[in-house]
Amino acid sequence: MGIETLLSQVFNGLSLSSVLLLVGLGLSITFGIMGVINFAHGEFLMVGAYVVYVLQTLFDKFYGHGAAGLSFLISLPLSFFVAALLGFLLEKVLIRFLYGRPYEGILATWGCSLILQQAARNIFGANNVDVASPKWLTGGVEVMPGLQLPYSRLFILALTTLCVVGIYLYLYRTAQGRRMRAVMQNRDMSACLGIRT
């Protein structure tokens, strides 16, 4: 195995693990604050991905294939917003009634996971759908002969870094973030200090 292949695999592993890092951060914050293991968390990621697909399909229909870059830039923050809205609705409708009951929470969120999976199959079919990368994400940076780092994977790493830094600044540099960490560490003491848990 050449050094180019090894470095390429390390880079691909980093870009894939950065997505898993974001999923893990969401799971740990949700479990830390609410004490509920959300088995539907992966489906929130799926919903965000389908938001990008649907918006890109609509842009292609009305503006042609040249609007892939614009649809990508619009759909990326929208996918985060829709996934967060779905999580908010799930908490208000179901999870809030299951605090302190971990087994019921696991079963309820697993049921929501199955419902979301089947809804996606019914709407989009069982086959995978493709999201076209914008032109500015095609190609890559050639580091050495035989080793090219794709722009799409560099974008994933940059976006993950931006999100992790944003979460860090929110948790450690804002009053709301400090309250959140206090609730995660000791809910009862936080309630005694006047924090709405």
Side-chain angles (χ1 to χ4, degrees):
M1 175 188 299
I3 189 73
E4 302 87 8
T5 307
L6 179 66
L7 290 176
S8 176
Q9 293 302 320
V10 167
F11 179 72
N12 290 339
L14 279 175
S15 67
L16 178 61
S17 62
S18 65
V19 174
L20 298 176
L21 171 69
L22 288 179
V23 174
L25 276 174
L27 279 171
S28 65
I29 289 173
T30 302
F31 179 70
I33 292 175
M34 298 189 302
V36 174
I37 299 172
N38 185 2
F39 270 50
H41 193 77
E43 279 63 36
F44 294 165
L45 183 70
M46 175 196 69
V47 166
Y50 276 120
V51 166
V52 175
Y53 170 74
V54 167
L55 203 61
Q56 190 174 68
T57 304
L58 289 174
F59 266 73
D60 285 350
K61 182 178 179 181
F62 292 113
Y63 300 110
H65 293 293
L70 179 63
S71 69
F72 187 79
L73 288 176
I74 292 172
S75 63
L76 194 62
L78 186 64
S79 66
F80 280 95
F81 176 75
V82 170
L85 181 65
L86 182 64
F88 177 78
L89 290 174
L90 184 65
E91 196 277 333
K92 290 294 181 195
V93 171
L94 179 68
I95 293 176
R96 73 179 327 169
F97 303 109
L98 301 173
Y99 291 143
R101 297 171 18 197
Y103 299 120
E104 288 90 344
I106 287 172
L107 286 173
T109 57
W110 183 55
C112 288
S113 165
L114 295 175
I115 290 169
L116 289 171
Q117 286 177 27
Q118 191 59 45
R121 279 190 202 102
N122 290 346
I123 295 169
F124 300 104
N127 295 332
N128 291 335
V129 295
D130 291 329
V131 174
S133 294
K135 289 183 181 175
W136 47 274
L137 282 180
T138 56
V141 177
E142 189 166 341
V143 179
M144 61 174 44
L147 176 63
Q148 185 179 31
L149 306 180
Y151 289 135
S152 58
R153 293 193 180 265
L154 288 170
F155 178 77
I156 291 169
L157 285 171
L159 184 64
T160 301
T161 303
L162 185 70
C163 289
V164 169
V165 167
I167 290 170
Y168 173 81
L169 292 175
Y170 177 75
L171 288 177
Y172 288 93
R173 300 286 187 242
T174 66
Q176 183 68 25
R178 286 199 262 318
R179 287 188 208 106
M180 185 185 292
R181 285 188 300 130
V183 170
M184 288 170 77
Q185 292 172 4
N186 193 335
R187 181 177 294 270
D188 296 331
M189 184 56 73
S190 299
C192 290
L193 295 173
I195 298 172
R196 287 184 59 205
T197 61

